[in-house]
Amino acid sequence: MTFIELQEKFPNNETIITHFRTIRYRNGLICPHCGSTQKVGTRTDQPKLCNCNRCHNTFSIFTGTIFEKTSTNLTKWFYAVHLFLNAKKGISALQLQREIGTTYKTAWRMLKQIRTAMGNENLTKSFELIVEVDETYVGAKNLVTL
């Protein structure tokens, strides 16, 4: 995806929140506190937050993700991920700071969170099928025997 395509697909926070909600909660909202799926609703004043009427807790749709406790604009996060993924030799926090217009501390934390998420080894469902990455096959069973 190019930067122009990224801007067209995600022009503001609302489109990012809507996209994230449809990807993560495609089977309906689930309360992380009590596990209820029936009495969970979104708030109209703050689209990131949801209310559970069973346990009376408020939770963010980003709970358990790299975006969980961030006050940084989500468009800047998506642009940071885009820059990180498309940089041939990586990207430094100083370069990210210049690109997205944040402080060095924020840029460093964002890169740390992105690297942590990419290093998550609990993604066992991701490699149930054969996946080709840079001409290397990863996952699934060995289908070819010599």
Side-chain angles (χ1 to χ4, degrees):
M1 178 180 290
T2 65
F3 174 68
I4 302 299
E5 293 170 341
L6 181 74
Q7 266 188 322
E8 289 173 356
K9 188 169 183 177
F10 304 112
N12 53 30
N13 278 349
E14 289 76 26
T15 56
I16 292 172
I17 291 169
T18 303
H19 179 73
F20 191 84
R21 187 180 293 134
T22 57
I23 297 296
R24 187 169 189 198
Y25 298 106
R26 68 177 66 134
N27 295 330
L29 291 169
I30 300 171
C31 176
H33 303 285
C34 68
S36 175
T37 58
Q38 297 176 351
K39 297 183 177 183
V40 180
T42 58
R43 290 177 52 168
T44 56
D45 58 337
Q46 294 179 352
K48 288 184 195 179
L49 299 179
C50 300
N51 288 333
C52 177
N53 293 328
R54 182 173 176 207
C55 64
H56 304 291
N57 278 315
T58 300
F59 64 94
S60 170
I61 62 168
F62 298 116
T63 301
T65 68
I66 61 174
F67 311 115
E68 185 172 358
K69 293 182 179 178
T70 186
S71 60
T72 307
N73 193 333
L74 292 172
T75 54
K76 289 184 180 185
W77 268 100
F78 270 46
Y79 185 45
V81 171
H82 171 76
L83 289 172
F84 182 83
L85 293 176
N86 290 317
K88 267 189 173 179
K89 296 182 181 180
I91 186 168
S92 68
L94 281 172
Q95 179 66 28
L96 186 62
Q97 172 191 357
R98 289 189 293 268
E99 291 282 338
I100 65 174
T102 61
T103 64
Y104 175 78
K105 186 176 177 181
T106 301
W108 184 86
R109 181 184 174 276
M110 290 171 81
L111 286 175
K112 182 179 179 293
Q113 293 288 86
I114 293 168
R115 287 183 185 114
T116 302
M118 291 188 72
N120 189 357
E121 295 179 7
N122 294 330
L123 301 175
T124 54
K125 291 185 179 181
S126 299
F127 294 110
E128 289 178 351
L129 302 173
I130 296 175
V131 178
E132 182 182 355
V133 179
D134 288 338
E135 300 161 358
T136 302
Y137 292 94
V138 179
K141 293 183 180 178
N142 188 3
L143 301 176
V144 180
T145 56
L146 298 174

